[in-house]
Amino acid sequence: MTAPVDALSPVRAELLRSARASADAVRDRARADAEETLRSARATAEAVLARARDLGSAEGAAGAARERVRAVQDAWAAELAARAEVYAALRAAVHAGVRRGFTEDASLRSRCAQAARKLLGPQARVTAASQGGVTAEVPGRRVDLSADALADRALDRLGARAEALWEPA
């Protein structure tokens, strides 16, 4: 695919602003949820460890080791589940925001169609996408400027920065 089309700069800027605002809200909720999940998991792990220490025998020590491993695994599983939930919520919010942008600004579809024709040429067959935006094709080439594809590209550009969603503040 070629370099971004200048005609989409305002659209891209608004989509990025909206996505960042949505991401900030989701990130704040995710951080609070992740911190609570980690506090709960740590409290559970501490309770399990205290119970194991009370056994005071070789069997207790072995049991404590198993419980520590299980607690760590449970905490990690809970954190991974929270991360997946946060990312899914972020993805849904970004998709909804981009779709809403296409609903609220009818000119976006025509601007996407113009951009597709600039990328593929005037002979491109442009089709409206059901959730907003367009797709365009010429033999051997295809451009997807649908709302969902644009949202996915915006999320993909987050790259490793998405990890900040579940990092402590």
Side-chain angles (χ1 to χ4, degrees):
M1 192 169 203
T2 61
V5 178
D6 288 339
L8 290 178
S9 290
V11 174
R12 191 172 21 264
E14 178 57 28
L15 292 175
L16 283 172
R17 186 205 59 74
S18 176
R20 284 184 179 128
S22 294
D24 287 344
V26 169
R27 183 189 61 229
D28 291 342
R29 285 192 309 272
R31 282 183 176 154
D33 290 347
E35 287 172 8
E36 180 56 35
T37 299
L38 287 174
R39 274 194 296 275
S40 175
R42 287 181 179 128
T44 300
E46 287 300 320
V48 168
L49 288 173
R51 188 177 71 231
R53 276 192 292 276
D54 291 342
L55 294 175
S57 68
E59 183 179 320
R66 286 190 302 274
E67 289 296 324
R68 273 193 301 276
V69 168
R70 189 174 306 119
V72 168
Q73 290 170 338
D74 290 348
W76 181 241
E79 182 176 344
L80 289 178
R83 286 182 181 197
E85 186 177 320
V86 167
Y87 189 79
L90 171 63
R91 187 173 189 273
V94 170
H95 276 242
V98 173
R99 289 174 185 164
R100 187 173 45 256
F102 275 98
T103 301
E104 292 171 358
D105 185 352
S107 71
L108 290 179
R109 182 177 283 170
S110 64
R111 290 164 63 189
C112 285
Q114 289 172 351
R117 285 191 180 95
K118 281 185 179 179
L119 291 168
L120 298 178
Q123 74 284 6
R125 189 182 76 211
V126 177
T127 306
S130 63
Q131 298 291 331
V134 299
T135 59
E137 294 183 37
V138 295
R141 293 176 63 203
R142 182 173 190 275
V143 170
D144 188 350
L145 297 177
S146 66
D148 288 346
L150 293 170
D152 287 339
R153 283 188 203 114
L155 287 169
D156 288 345
R157 281 193 299 272
L158 280 176
R161 290 178 297 174
E163 289 288 320
L165 293 173
W166 33 82
E167 291 296 321

